[in-house]
Amino acid sequence: MPSSVINPPTNHSLSPYTGAWTNAQAAHLLRRSLFGPSFQQINQVTSDGLDAAIAQLMIIPAIGQPLTYDPAETIATFGQPWQNSPYPTDVEAAQECDTARAKSLGAWLMQRINNEGMSIAEKMCFFWHNHFAAILSFDQRSSYNYFDLIRQHALGNFKTLIKEMTNNTNMLEFLNGATNTFYSPNENYAREFLELYTIGKGIQIGPGDYSNYTEEDVAAGAKIFTGYTVEGLRSSTYTSVNTIYVPLYHDNSTKQLSYHFNSEVIASAGPVEYSNYIDVVFQQNEVAYFISRKLYRFFVNHELTEEVEQNIIPAMAAIMIANDYEIQPVVEALLKSQHFYDANLIGSAIRSPLEMLFSMFNCTGTTINFDLATTSDMYISLYYLGDTMGQGYGTPPSVSGWPAYYQAPNFTKLWVNGTHLKNRTWLAYYFTLATGLDVNGEILKIQTIPFLNGLSNPANANNVIDDIIRVFLPKPISAAQRQILKFILLGGQPDFEWTIQYNEYLAAPTDPTYYLPIQQKVELTLFQLFQMPEYHTV
Amino acid sequence: MIKRRTFVKNVGIAVAGMPIVLNNIKYQPIQKKLFNYNKSAEDRVLVIVRLNGGNDGLNTVIPLDQYDNLVIQRQNILIPENQLLDLNQNNLALHPSMTGMKNMFEGGQLGIIQNVGYPDQNRSHFRSMDIWSTGKMDPFEHSGWLGRHFDEKYPGYPDDYPNEDYPDPFAISMGYSVSETCQGLLSNFSHAVSNPFDAYNLTENQGLDDGTYFGSHMAYLSNLIMQSNAYGSQINAAANAGNTLSSLYDANNPIAVQLRYVAQMISGGLKTKVYILNLDGFDTHNAQVSSTSVLTGRHADLMKTLSDALAAFQDDLNLLGLSHRVAGFTFSEFGRQVASNASRGTDHGDAAPMFLFGECISSQIIGPNPVISDTIQNQEAVPMQIDFRDVYASLLKDWFLVPESDIEPLFEHTVQYINLLGACNLGVDDLAKNKDGLTLFPNPATDRTNLRFEADGDSYTLQVIDMNGRTVLEPFSGRTLSGEQTIPLETYDLKAGFYTVRLYSRKAVKAVKLIIAD
């Protein structure tokens, strides 16, 4: 049950944070920017300081492409990309081939998160995926186009991103732009473009008038967007899925926008008309407000209090407008701001399923490095687990994205309910105490021994417990809870026994009689910690 | 929208060992009392099926008297008239995939409420589903319509729940997420259940509420863990004690699978009042019908999924003797536009029909047929004639017997009540005439009851018909005097259950439902 009164943040300034910089602030920054920071990353950011940390987080590293690994892929070569390979001619074979590509794509998305490094890239990519919440194509080359586009502009220019997204093959399919023609206008994209992607829907203030736009604007937008379609889907000859412009499909009439857009007229301009229209929409400052609110909800807190609406959102929007819709300056300002580090905002969100899942791995430095097929099958299994818990990357539940990011009043509380909690507990058990994930005889479990060895003073039980709490939990816990964790780690023995056991292990690190008891104690401790309500917050 | 694709096909590998999915469904035949009538609404169950995405009402319930104009509006998706399932009432027909629901209709267990929507229809999925979930037009409303009702009855929830008096969840949302309709002031009244046979046991662990957002999550999670364990064990016990009897359930039909779980839980004695199910995929902007035949395609598949599942569920309830305790309805956030588009699809529209199902529906067709224009007008959709909030309010009144004074504060408009599910409420208001002008008292009855009606000197035959359509009693046949007449019915030979009393004359057949209690 939520508290009847929640203490709101007290600092509402977007100017740079100047307070104490300890590992508490460093961990908060990293927990919001990454899927799960490691002990080493937290230490590094603590010593580097805020500015250097932000500079590093803003670098989007280059990554490889999804690779062929499943035998159902019959065109591309094992170990090579399939993004430029056609499909088999046989319909059934093409379906199986697509499933193989979907698995490769899903594994690739999970691998990216598991190897995110010290970059905000993966969080930003998920932010945009939730914003442009398209589901996968039935041709994974088109799905790849979509994820590739998002990553290219993850911290780039919002206006550029949406212009390219408008004619992205997967988006054209998803919201029926591909079949939106002069002969048969389809409003689907034109509506979501205004309602969910750019200016947002306000309160209905008249028939078909939603404060920021009207039904007439939707109808006009549908006409403006006509002309673009997709070719090559599931083709056995095309080596890629392409957007093409067909002049015959374009509605050449003059389109009249409503008073919300100063009654502007969009003249027929063929293939560049959509771009002219987007420029007109982006002249409305409300676009900057709309996307600022979404960034705020994603990175800071679900609740837009009156003070946040009056101080933070306008300041973010002003930066965005001054920078002609560049995203990076706004994200930087937000993550550097005094408001971001307000004590009342620490732990204000519930960890999403993918954050919960990958915190177990990323916080402990556990990555998957087996052969390509085994590694990929493990990642696609993690994909499936995320999906089971309500966050299938590539299958958002609706065009509005995941309800945790928009559904009042519960917001991120929606990530957990009775069923999800049970699944989270099973997962934690699975990757700590149980056998782990077995693929081709290889095992994926949390790498507890390397994790332990990387802590500040592994031979000291008190230090181990404090480090574990710092890595996984947003706030200190009660003395009683800490005592429970320590009791589990020590197995009821006095502190010095841990030191002796650890040192015996160090003397013979490959001897199972020494490393297994140590490993098991850490696993038990982590399992207990993963079941604590605190672990589900970030 | 593209058909949803997931990666998970053929990803059996690692998942095989995962303890997440359990398949230990048991079907043990159990001997139970089949009929146990309770006058109060305490044991009544409401089942809500959400058709997510905006169902095309005009391709679901087709007004045959408008067919010529439908040809003008939507020829590329329209089903040939001779393929439609004629209901032989009010010139209405169902989509040809809906044989199961047609049978329900003929058995008096399916009703249709036409042209349901709300004023100034908002065509966004997002906003429109909010309106349907909250039951209010106010965009700042966060509570659901059922959540507000539960808040009235169980103030303070979830503090001190579950407890001895209320050990079971008030509502169950089938699947992985809770339902917005059940959002209360402090918490959501619905409990998410994907498989009632799963056992629950989460480590209980009290987090600290320090007054911040974090603290609110601690309180929420700690309580959720405690509740999940308590509710989970109740659900688990009910599922194991329960039973299902229908052979019509299709294991590949996702809604049928969930409805079977619901039947299992109800028959196992779970006291949950509301079950909510969700069927996705109704946003048929393109390829609503296949390129080769208007009889197949996505909409046909959806109609079959829905119809088969509801028919199996109703069959099960009939066999389990639970049909008098369970009623349900379907809804979607909006209908679709009258004219189809060139992609063999339809765009977001306004009003649409809702289905009601169960033994206790009061009448089968409510509201006039939509009027279809003979010319295509841009973005035109079926206008609203029945406000969905009146449907909700009437369901609360008829089914949960909520007093009007408690219903009115739940909504923001002046409620117009419609008789939707009153057919089993006879015992509550014995001396009221039914819609045919008949009064049966007492009802429910045991050994004897009386039929009162206004006679006009005609000849009358009175019969009592059981649920299989057999005449089990014919207490009277002959001429009566004019004026109010009362005919006694000796019912001590009848088994407990539902019956229809029919009064035949040369002018009309009138009917009233009779309940024989143990």
Side-chain angles (χ1 to χ4, degrees):
Chain A
M1 172 194 147
S3 307
S4 41
V5 179
I6 293 177
N7 300 333
T10 54
N11 188 316
H12 292 94
S13 169
L14 201 65
S15 57
Y17 174 75
T18 51
W21 187 252
T22 70
N23 60 10
Q25 286 75 29
H28 176 61
L29 171 64
L30 291 181
R31 270 195 273 277
R32 298 298 174 94
S33 312
L34 306 179
F35 277 83
S38 68
F39 184 70
Q40 290 74 15
Q41 285 174 320
I42 294 170
N43 283 345
Q44 189 202 320
V45 165
T46 308
S47 59
D48 286 356
L50 176 55
D51 287 349
I54 295 285
Q56 188 172 356
L57 284 168
M58 295 300 141
I59 298 169
I60 309 270
I63 50 164
Q65 296 192 4
L67 300 177
T68 301
Y69 80 94
D70 188 286
E73 168 70 67
T74 49
I75 306 292
T77 313
F78 182 89
Q80 296 298 311
W82 42 262
Q83 293 76 39
N84 291 309
S85 298
Y87 276 78
T89 30
D90 178 70
V91 174
E92 299 259 315
Q95 177 59 42
E96 290 195 9
C97 181
D98 193 66
T99 303
R101 292 176 183 190
K103 286 166 67 178
S104 164
L105 187 73
W108 176 69
L109 290 166
M110 297 300 104
Q111 186 165 31
R112 282 167 39 174
I113 292 176
N114 190 209
N115 294 280
E116 62 184 339
M118 188 88 90
S119 168
I120 202 169
E122 293 307 324
K123 271 285 175 78
M124 282 306 307
C125 286
F126 190 79
F127 170 81
W128 290 120
H129 177 38
N130 178 64
H131 185 72
F132 297 109
I135 58 174
L136 299 181
S137 169
F138 71 106
D139 182 325
Q140 300 318 319
R141 300 175 302 180
S142 184
S143 308
Y144 177 77
N145 290 346
Y146 163 85
F147 289 119
D148 185 46
L149 173 64
I150 282 178
R151 194 177 169 98
Q152 277 177 36
H153 299 281
L155 280 170
N157 187 285
F158 178 41
K159 205 196 296 187
T160 309
L161 171 59
I162 196 160
K163 283 184 180 179
E164 296 198 23
M165 187 59 80
T166 299
N167 293 329
N168 175 268
T169 56
N170 196 38
M171 185 55 83
L172 283 169
E173 270 185 273
F174 175 60
L175 291 179
N176 310 104
T179 51
N180 173 30
T181 66
F182 167 66
Y183 306 99
S184 141
N186 185 313
E187 295 170 351
N188 212 2
Y189 182 77
R191 182 178 302 281
E192 308 307 5
F193 171 82
L194 292 170
E195 179 184 338
L196 297 174
Y197 298 162
T198 56
I199 201 160
K201 184 170 209 164
I203 293 164
Q204 189 161 2
I205 53 174
D209 188 335
Y210 312 117
S211 292
N212 298 329
Y213 62 90
T214 67
E215 281 291 331
E216 286 68 36
D217 294 318
V218 171
K223 292 177 180 174
I224 289 164
F225 290 130
T226 53
Y228 283 93
T229 189
V230 178
E231 63 170 15
L233 285 166
R234 277 283 174 102
S235 165
S236 59
T237 53
Y238 282 76
T239 55
S240 58
V241 180
N242 310 314
T243 299
I244 52 166
Y245 179 74
V246 182
L248 201 61
Y249 288 170
H250 184 66
D251 185 327
N252 286 316
S253 63
T254 301
K255 291 87 180 174
Q256 174 72 52
L257 301 184
S258 75
Y259 72 99
H260 294 298
F261 301 102
N262 303 317
S263 305
E264 288 242 25
V265 168
I266 304 292
S268 179
V272 299
E273 191 175 325
Y274 78 96
S275 175
N276 298 341
Y277 170 56
I278 292 174
D279 287 338
V280 168
V281 171
F282 272 67
Q283 281 166 20
Q284 299 301 316
N285 290 346
E286 189 55 35
V287 176
Y289 279 74
F290 180 72
I291 197 70
S292 295
R293 288 187 189 101
K294 282 198 103 167
L295 284 164
Y296 181 87
R297 283 210 156 120
F298 190 83
F299 285 107
V300 185
N301 191 23
H302 61 271
E303 188 170 22
L304 295 162
T305 63
E306 212 165 293
E307 288 78 8
V308 168
E309 273 289 351
Q310 280 169 8
N311 299 293
I312 302 295
I313 301 299
M316 289 173 72
I319 294 172
M320 197 165 313
I321 292 160
N323 288 282
D324 195 23
Y325 287 95
E326 287 293 330
I327 289 295
Q328 184 173 332
V330 181
V331 174
E332 276 192 21
L334 187 62
L335 299 182
K336 276 187 185 180
S337 70
Q338 297 180 37
H339 179 69
F340 182 78
Y341 297 96
D342 190 293
N344 286 346
L345 291 173
I346 307 294
S348 65
I350 289 198
R351 265 190 231 262
S352 74
L354 289 176
E355 284 177 307
M356 183 272 166
L357 186 60
F358 282 98
S359 284
M360 295 196 296
F361 300 118
N362 293 11
C363 293
T364 56
T366 305
T367 55
I368 306 178
N369 298 300
F370 301 108
D371 65 66
L372 178 63
T374 304
T375 299
S376 302
D377 268 347
M378 283 184 177
Y379 278 123
I380 198 66
S381 300
L382 296 185
Y383 172 88
Y384 174 77
L385 294 174
D387 188 49
T388 304
M389 292 191 294
Q391 199 180 13
Y393 206 132
T395 58
S398 84
V399 68
S400 314
W402 280 269
Y405 298 114
Y406 66 78
Q407 190 70 61
N410 282 358
F411 292 98
T412 59
K413 286 189 174 73
L414 294 169
W415 285 130
V416 285
N417 56 39
T419 303
H420 289 148
L421 263 186
K422 186 161 54 83
N423 287 345
R424 285 180 176 217
T425 303
W426 275 116
L427 276 188
Y429 177 73
Y430 214 74
F431 291 113
T432 54
L433 293 175
T435 47
L437 191 60
D438 179 343
V439 176
N440 303 331
E442 303 285 3
I443 300 293
L444 172 61
K445 278 183 71 164
I446 292 174
Q447 298 294 304
T448 36
I449 293 277
F451 168 64
L452 176 68
N453 291 341
L455 299 179
S456 60
N457 185 5
N460 181 305
N462 281 316
N463 293 148
V464 170
I465 292 296
D466 289 339
D467 289 352
I468 287 177
I469 291 169
R470 169 59 65 219
V471 168
F472 287 104
L473 306 181
K475 287 194 178 187
I477 53 176
S478 70
Q481 280 177 309
R482 187 183 176 283
Q483 198 54 43
I484 292 170
L485 290 177
K486 192 177 156 191
F487 182 85
I488 292 171
L489 183 74
L490 295 176
Q493 301 293 319
D495 286 20
F496 67 84
E497 286 291 350
W498 172 263
T499 308
I500 293 171
Q501 281 203 35
Y502 184 78
N503 287 330
E504 282 175 348
Y505 149 73
L506 273 190
T510 56
D511 185 339
T513 58
Y514 294 116
Y515 75 74
L516 277 179
I518 292 272
Q519 177 184 322
Q520 195 212 22
K521 293 288 185 301
V522 179
E523 286 172 353
L524 280 164
T525 309
L526 289 181
F527 179 53
Q528 174 67 21
L529 180 123
F530 293 154
Q531 293 178 81
M532 290 166 56
E534 286 84 349
Y535 175 66
H536 299 293
T537 61
V538 66
Chain B
M1 203 181 286
I2 319 158
K3 193 169 183 329
R4 170 176 282 241
R5 306 203 53 78
T6 62
F7 297 118
V8 302
K9 266 191 189 167
N10 310 329
V11 194
I13 30 140
V15 180
M18 296 300 288
I20 284 172
V21 185
L22 296 178
N23 292 315
N24 62 341
I25 306 173
K26 286 181 214 148
Y27 296 100
Q28 44 210 23
I30 53 164
Q31 290 300 321
K32 65 191 349 252
K33 208 169 177 185
L34 278 184
F35 195 82
N36 190 1
Y37 180 77
N38 184 347
K39 248 186 180 181
S40 81
E42 280 306 307
D43 64 352
R44 286 184 172 178
V45 173
L46 185 65
V47 176
I48 303 175
V49 181
R50 183 174 90 153
L51 311 180
N52 196 15
N55 180 35
D56 185 9
L58 288 173
N59 231 25
T60 306
V61 179
I62 298 94
L64 297 173
D65 53 351
Q66 308 291 316
Y67 195 86
D68 291 348
N69 289 345
L70 286 170
V71 173
I72 295 168
Q73 299 277 359
R74 39 169 61 204
Q75 192 166 23
N76 61 345
I77 59 164
L78 190 64
I79 290 155
E81 201 170 352
N82 61 4
Q83 302 280 336
L84 295 169
L85 306 178
D86 195 338
L87 294 177
N88 299 310
Q89 268 194 49
N90 295 37
N91 277 313
L92 286 175
L94 294 180
H95 187 286
S97 299
M98 302 173 75
T99 48
M101 284 170 74
K102 178 169 188 275
N103 292 340
M104 287 168 70
F105 187 86
E106 285 170 350
Q109 294 184 318
L110 182 77
I112 297 165
I113 318 173
Q114 303 215 73
N115 314 315
V116 189
Y118 54 85
D120 296 325
Q121 182 81 38
N122 187 309
R123 291 183 178 177
S124 125
H125 291 289
F126 192 16
R127 177 73 192 115
S128 200
M129 196 52 95
D130 266 0
I131 291 172
W132 276 88
S133 300
T134 60
K136 283 194 177 181
M137 304 294 291
D138 177 359
F140 298 107
E141 181 62 54
H142 289 328
S143 64
W145 67 284
L146 284 166
R148 289 194 299 278
H149 162 62
F150 287 133
D151 269 332
E152 268 182 354
K153 284 196 84 169
Y154 315 105
Y157 178 92
D159 261 4
D160 304 324
Y161 287 92
N163 56 42
E164 211 170 299
D165 294 334
Y166 300 102
D168 299 336
F170 294 108
I172 283 180
S173 177
M174 295 303 295
Y176 290 111
S177 52
V178 295
S179 168
E180 291 309 312
T181 60
C182 296
Q183 180 63 43
L185 275 176
L186 301 174
S187 181
N188 194 299
F189 281 87
S190 69
H191 186 79
V193 173
S194 55
N195 181 339
F197 290 97
D198 281 2
Y200 281 68
N201 86 71
L202 302 171
T203 305
E204 298 189 12
N205 188 344
Q206 194 68 42
L208 288 177
D209 183 352
D210 61 1
T212 66
Y213 292 104
F214 167 83
S216 82
H217 295 320
M218 290 305 99
Y220 170 75
L221 289 161
S222 301
N223 196 58
L224 190 62
I225 291 171
M226 186 273 292
Q227 261 193 4
S228 295
N229 287 340
Y231 283 152
S233 62
Q234 287 288 110
I235 290 166
N236 202 228
N240 283 308
N243 197 13
T244 68
L245 298 173
S246 176
S247 58
L248 300 180
Y249 290 114
D250 175 357
N252 295 316
N253 179 328
I255 291 293
V257 168
Q258 292 188 342
L259 283 169
R260 178 187 219 155
Y261 285 146
V262 172
Q264 189 99 19
M265 288 185 273
I266 298 172
S267 72
L270 200 69
K271 293 192 177 63
T272 295
K273 295 169 192 312
V274 177
Y275 293 85
I276 299 140
L277 299 89
N278 184 60
L279 181 58
D280 284 327
F282 286 88
D283 195 19
T284 50
H285 283 283
N286 65 339
Q288 173 172 334
V289 297
S290 75
S291 57
T292 50
S293 165
V294 293
L295 296 174
T296 58
R298 284 167 51 202
H299 197 254
D301 292 345
L302 288 165
M303 290 297 104
K304 182 168 166 54
T305 301
L306 175 69
S307 169
D308 288 358
L310 287 186
F313 183 58
Q314 189 64 53
D315 180 51
D316 207 7
L317 296 174
N318 294 344
L319 293 168
L320 290 163
L322 293 169
S323 60
H324 62 297
R325 277 185 49 204
V326 183
F329 70 91
T330 69
F331 79 97
S332 193
E333 66 265 44
F334 41 62
R336 307 193 77 80
Q337 291 175 20
V338 177
S340 57
N341 61 37
S343 327
R344 303 189 314 278
T346 44
D347 296 325
H348 303 183
D350 300 340
M354 293 173 75
F355 290 110
L356 276 176
F357 59 91
E359 181 62 33
C360 300
I361 56 170
S362 305
S363 44
Q364 293 212 271
I365 295 171
I366 295 167
N369 293 0
V371 176
I372 307 299
S373 156
D374 61 3
T375 47
I376 295 182
Q377 280 162 41
N378 194 25
Q379 297 187 317
E380 192 187 25
V382 176
M384 181 271 278
Q385 294 203 24
I386 293 177
D387 192 309
F388 80 109
R389 295 168 293 183
D390 291 335
V391 173
Y392 287 171
S394 305
L395 290 169
L396 291 173
K397 181 181 180 216
D398 289 350
W399 194 238
F400 291 134
L401 307 180
V402 181
E404 287 183 21
S405 56
D406 285 351
I407 293 175
E408 253 116 84
L410 302 179
F411 300 98
E412 58 200 347
H413 72 309
T414 308
V415 173
Q416 313 266 334
Y417 292 98
I418 317 160
N419 190 355
L420 296 177
L421 288 173
C424 298
N425 290 341
L426 301 168
V428 177
D429 189 5
D430 272 348
L431 293 176
K433 287 179 184 167
N434 82 343
K435 66 181 164 50
D436 282 353
L438 304 183
T439 306
L440 199 59
F441 62 95
N443 188 16
T446 49
D447 292 350
R448 163 192 265 255
T449 185
N450 303 282
L451 179 76
R452 182 176 291 164
F453 66 103
E454 197 70 27
D456 60 1
D458 200 349
S459 282
Y460 291 96
T461 298
L462 185 60
Q463 289 182 342
V464 179
I465 321 275
D466 74 5
M467 278 177 64
N468 299 318
R470 288 185 308 238
T471 303
V472 291
L473 212 61
E474 190 173 305
F476 180 82
S477 188
R479 185 176 291 270
T480 69
L481 296 172
S482 295
E484 188 179 272
Q485 303 295 328
T486 301
I487 300 176
L489 286 77
E490 302 295 335
T491 53
Y492 46 80
D493 274 348
L494 299 185
K495 280 191 226 153
F498 271 81
Y499 297 85
T500 304
V501 177
R502 283 199 192 140
L503 184 67
Y504 297 87
S505 72
R506 281 178 302 179
K507 290 180 190 144
V509 183
K510 294 178 172 183
V512 59
K513 284 202 166 120
L514 166 66
I515 298 160
I516 300 297
D518 276 338

